[in-house]
Amino acid sequence: MKMTFRWYGETDPVKLEYIRQIPGMYGIVSAIYDVPVGEVWPLESLHKLKARIEGVGLKFEVVESVPVHEDIKLGKPTRDRLIANYQQNIRNCAAVGVKVICYNFMPVFDWTRTELAKELPDGSTTLSFDAAAIEKLDISKGISLPGWDSSYQADQLRALLDEYAAVGEEQLWANLEYFLKAIIPIAEEVGVKMAMHPDDPPRPIFGLPRIVKNRDDLARLVKIVDSPANGITLCSGSLGADLCNNIESLVREFGGMGRIHFGHLRNVAVEADGSFFEAPHLSCTGSLDMARILRAYHEIGFEGYVRPDHGRMIWGETGKPGYGLYDRALGAVYLNGLWEAITKFVPANTEQKDAA
Ligand code: DNO
């Protein structure tokens, strides 16, 4: 298991030099942020980013994300040019040594929360999702959603939602298939593993189709192009927000077949109606048992990348919700500690690894 940390580049309030001080840190997960979605990332920007990261003694082997343009998801005629650009981005990432690209196929909104700073009893704040509050939002009047308010004008958003209503789930799958058939051969050719991030939360929102929510969706996804390059980012917190998803068994199934290329490790405290808040990584604070999840990774002989996913805001830190330094650093150290104990005392199932 290679521990990594997400860093948003020079504008990130978290200093790269501080990330390096977290014990057991292997690499940085980042992206090029100043190029519009759908365009090609200049090779020199990637070289610069790599040199900056390597300059502090960390590796740059995982990109999160190369975003997929809405026209590709909607299957519009403009998609071929955008897919060609995406192919070039895969090539450019490979040229600087990137091994894994995390991406998602969520229409319009990536992760969705109803509150960015829910206060917990210990005074820390965290991201949360209230299922009833989402149902009550009247999006015909425009939308006010923490984290996304300024991304779209109300009329722009309405137009997009209408377009997706016409697309629906099966057509979204077909559009994904078209995309994967075009990009996976390129990823294979240049030695990059594509790692699809599941929908977060794993349910349709605002009538938008969402297609990567559970075991069956993941099984369908990896079969569309049956190649190791067509893999997943197993996000424990996203999938774990549906209590029907058993993260341990997803690790065994998809990791066992060599399709988990990136693990996002995060805990969530989930209620019966699907509401949740993001808990500290420690098992006893949320609905997920991190020790069992990591044991499953160990059993399948996992040697890929993981990162502590979102953290709370603690110790007075301010900044990008979910992406402060302190709580994610605590998460990384906790996960590394669990991993040390598991790898020392639990035998790995090497048979399964050899079969993968
Ligand atoms: C949330 C992240 C996601 C993830 C994308 C991958 O903080 O896990 O935004 O980066 O879905 O494309």
Side-chain angles (χ1 to χ4, degrees):
M1 177 176 103
K2 298 183 187 82
M3 183 58 68
T4 63
F5 209 81
R6 192 174 197 182
W7 180 63
Y8 284 93
E10 302 303 343
T11 60
D12 192 326
V14 177
K15 278 191 175 179
L16 190 55
E17 289 73 10
Y18 290 173
I19 299 173
R20 189 248 173 113
Q21 294 169 354
I22 303 167
M25 199 46 72
Y26 175 88
I28 289 293
V29 172
S30 195
I32 301 299
Y33 293 102
D34 58 0
V35 174
V37 175
E39 299 309 315
V40 176
W41 292 359
L43 204 46
E44 71 255 37
S45 306
L46 282 161
H47 275 298
K48 215 172 128 199
L49 180 60
K50 179 190 169 81
R52 174 78 174 95
I53 292 168
E54 288 184 346
V56 302
L58 294 170
K59 306 258 194 240
F60 176 47
E61 295 173 359
V62 182
V63 160
E64 176 176 355
S65 308
V66 181
V68 180
H69 196 280
E70 298 300 327
D71 288 6
I72 297 178
K73 293 180 238 171
L74 285 163
K76 288 189 166 178
T78 41
R79 71 178 156 178
D80 290 326
R81 180 188 78 85
L82 295 162
I83 290 176
N85 287 351
Y86 205 98
Q87 291 170 326
Q88 191 55 44
N89 277 331
I90 297 175
R91 290 201 169 93
N92 287 0
C93 287
V96 300
V98 167
K99 309 271 184 270
V100 170
I101 295 177
C102 169
Y103 71 111
N104 74 74
F105 216 72
M106 286 177 250
V108 191
F109 301 106
D110 186 341
W111 56 271
T112 310
R113 300 289 181 270
T114 50
E115 215 185 318
L116 297 181
K118 176 191 169 72
E119 192 163 334
L120 298 180
D122 63 4
S124 61
T125 61
T126 196
L127 301 167
S128 71
F129 177 84
D130 181 329
I134 278 278
E135 295 304 326
K136 277 192 222 116
L137 277 181
D138 180 0
I139 48 174
S140 64
K141 298 201 179 89
I143 207 164
S144 166
L145 207 58
W148 298 103
D149 292 359
S150 54
S151 307
Y152 294 99
Q153 303 294 328
D155 49 342
Q156 241 184 335
L157 181 61
R158 242 182 325 262
L160 253 182
L161 293 175
D162 287 347
E163 284 185 86
Y164 273 108
V167 163
E169 282 202 6
E170 276 314 307
Q171 189 57 43
L172 189 59
W173 275 112
N175 297 345
L176 173 60
E177 179 167 343
Y178 185 92
F179 175 64
L180 289 178
K181 287 190 168 155
I183 62 151
I184 297 299
I186 307 297
E188 281 174 345
E189 184 188 308
V190 297
V192 162
K193 302 272 198 303
M194 297 303 298
M196 167 80 87
H197 190 286
D199 299 343
D200 180 7
R203 55 197 285 158
I205 45 159
F206 313 128
L208 287 166
R210 301 262 234 174
I211 57 175
V212 193
K213 310 171 297 295
N214 51 40
R215 185 252 156 217
D216 289 353
D217 293 344
L218 292 170
R220 181 168 174 181
L221 162 73
V222 297
K223 269 203 211 102
I224 290 178
V225 180
D226 197 5
S227 156
N230 180 24
I232 58 184
T233 294
L234 196 91
C235 179
S236 64
S238 303
L239 291 159
D242 179 346
L243 292 172
C244 299
N245 287 328
N246 180 329
I247 308 301
E248 264 182 88
S249 66
L250 295 175
V251 171
R252 291 201 177 90
E253 178 173 358
F254 296 100
M257 59 168 90
R259 294 300 183 91
I260 299 180
H261 302 315
F262 192 18
H264 281 185
L265 294 164
R266 164 159 69 85
N267 211 339
V268 275
V270 189
E271 291 168 36
D273 72 346
S275 299
F276 63 89
F277 68 84
E278 301 193 357
H281 289 78
L282 206 71
S283 306
C284 61
T285 60
S287 304
L288 304 182
D289 187 328
M290 280 298 159
R292 296 181 75 104
I293 291 172
L294 284 192
R295 186 183 60 176
Y297 272 108
H298 175 61
E299 273 174 23
I300 54 125
F302 187 71
E303 286 169 357
Y305 307 93
V306 298
R307 69 171 179 83
D309 203 4
H310 306 163
R312 299 161 301 148
M313 282 298 169
I314 60 171
W315 303 337
E317 191 177 22
T318 54
K320 195 174 166 55
Y323 284 97
L325 172 65
Y326 304 147
D327 201 37
R328 283 189 300 152
L330 291 179
V333 174
Y334 163 69
L335 295 165
N336 275 337
L338 276 180
W339 191 249
E340 179 180 348
I342 292 166
T343 49
K344 276 195 179 148
F345 304 123
V346 181
N349 181 353
T350 43
E351 258 170 53
Q352 221 166 342
K353 188 190 163 193
D354 292 343

